[in-house]
Amino acid sequence: MTENAIEMVDVDKWFGDFQVLKGINLTVRTGDRVVVCGPSGSGKSTVVRCINQLEQHQKGVIKVGGVTLDGSAAAQEAIRSEVGMVFQQFNLFPHLSVMENLVLGPMKSRGLSRKEAEARARKYLDRVRIPEQADKRPSQLSGGQQQRVAIARSLCMEPRVMLFDEPTSALDPEMISEVLDVMIELAEEGMTMVVVTHEMGFARKVADQMVFMDAGEIVETGPPAEFFANPKSERCRTFLNQILQH
């Protein structure tokens, strides 16, 4: 039996009086690639933000790598280094070079020397195919390059799980594929991934499991072949019809 990388059991989350997550149950095994889709405001981003503790859930249980996320500093510390996160907006430090952005985390959280951190940073800049950009500032790069730097920065922490929150939605169309290509390679290498995206071609190619959310609930899950060919719920059918026509 594969170890579970992420377990969510009956997870509820409110923003004030508004319940944004309702009874979420999701298991991601080590090596799984899960794609979460659904209309805007369905709670997709909140799910990944709860997994890496950018948001606190109010009810239910979330475990990452066996650690129960109880809001404690110890739990946060334990999973922050195990879970990489790539956002819509690249969240790079604008005043630092690409190299400085990459070495910061490993030196601070992993205790690497400057030399070790730089060697690791170069390895992952190679990995995302932009080794020549190491000394530039983020503002000197295209959106696609900045997002690849953001992926490399997460990889420098050598996490067990990577979370992607609509990583291509802020990009110009011609830059989307360069980011998706890197993500496809990561998936093929066996990285455990939870990806919130509308890129259904990517989902078909890499997902082990599709998750469709609407109004704070998981409405439907299934392997991609079944999910796309034969969605069970009316809500999922409507969503796929809309998105696949574009």
Side-chain angles (χ1 to χ4, degrees), residues 13-146:
K13 162 94 186 137
W14 285 264
F15 290 132
D17 294 335
F18 177 65
Q19 188 170 0
V20 65
L21 297 181
K22 303 170 188 170
I24 298 295
N25 289 291
L26 180 66
T27 300
V28 180
R29 292 170 312 174
T30 301
D32 272 0
R33 289 151 338 239
V34 175
V35 169
V36 184
C37 63
S40 200
S42 57
K44 311 180 297 290
S45 292
T46 307
V47 164
V48 292
R49 290 173 72 84
C50 284
I51 291 169
N52 81 342
Q53 293 289 270
L54 288 172
E55 300 285 356
Q56 296 292 328
H57 60 293
Q58 282 101 350
K59 274 181 153 178
V61 176
I62 303 178
K63 289 184 182 181
V64 176
V67 175
T68 301
L69 305 187
D70 54 9
S72 68
Q76 289 211 353
E77 197 52 46
I79 67 119
R80 278 283 155 82
S81 54
E82 299 299 334
V83 177
M85 178 94 179
V86 178
F87 301 87
Q88 242 172 345
Q89 305 299 343
F90 322 118
N91 288 20
L92 299 170
F93 294 115
H95 60 292
L96 298 179
S97 69
V98 166
M99 178 58 77
E100 294 293 338
N101 267 282
L102 265 57
V103 299
L104 214 54
M107 287 169 68
K108 214 170 153 188
S109 303
R110 295 286 203 218
L112 267 61
S113 70
R114 176 85 200 192
K115 194 176 174 187
E116 290 167 327
E118 285 195 0
R120 188 181 283 190
R122 291 192 193 285
K123 170 182 160 185
Y124 287 114
L125 283 174
D126 270 343
R127 183 71 205 66
V128 300
R129 302 200 278 276
I130 43 171
E132 71 289 350
Q133 308 295 354
D135 299 324
K136 290 188 180 169
R137 293 270 175 97
S139 60
Q140 296 172 283
L141 306 181
S142 71
Q145 289 171 328
Q146 288 186 63

Side-chain angles (χ1 to χ4, degrees), residues 34 36 44-45 48 83-88 147 150-152 154-155 161-168 179 182-184 186-187 191-197 202:
V34 175
V36 184
K44 311 180 297 290
S45 292
V48 292
V83 177
M85 178 94 179
V86 178
F87 301 87
Q88 242 172 345
Q147 193 59 295
I151 293 171
S154 279
L155 291 173
V161 177
M162 285 280 280
L163 307 175
F164 295 85
D165 186 9
E166 303 203 21
T168 58
V179 171
V182 168
M183 291 169 65
I184 288 165
L186 284 178
M191 174 64 80
T192 308
M193 296 164 75
V194 179
V195 185
V196 174
T197 187
F202 167 82

Side-chain angles (χ1 to χ4, degrees), residues 172-239:
D172 293 332
E174 66 273 16
M175 292 172 190
I176 289 172
S177 66
E178 66 189 58
V179 171
L180 292 179
D181 286 348
V182 168
M183 291 169 65
I184 288 165
E185 284 174 21
L186 284 178
E188 286 168 350
E189 287 167 12
M191 174 64 80
T192 308
M193 296 164 75
V194 179
V195 185
V196 174
T197 187
H198 289 305
E199 299 291 338
M200 292 298 127
F202 167 82
R204 282 188 161 140
K205 198 173 247 176
V206 307
D208 302 303
Q209 183 182 184
M210 294 296 301
V211 175
F212 171 70
M213 289 186 69
D214 193 16
E217 298 175 308
I218 291 179
V219 177
E220 195 164 326
T221 62
E226 195 180 301
F227 179 85
F228 287 108
N230 189 24
K232 296 179 184 70
S233 66
E234 188 55 47
R235 281 192 284 178
C236 189
R237 266 197 299 278
T238 305
F239 172 77

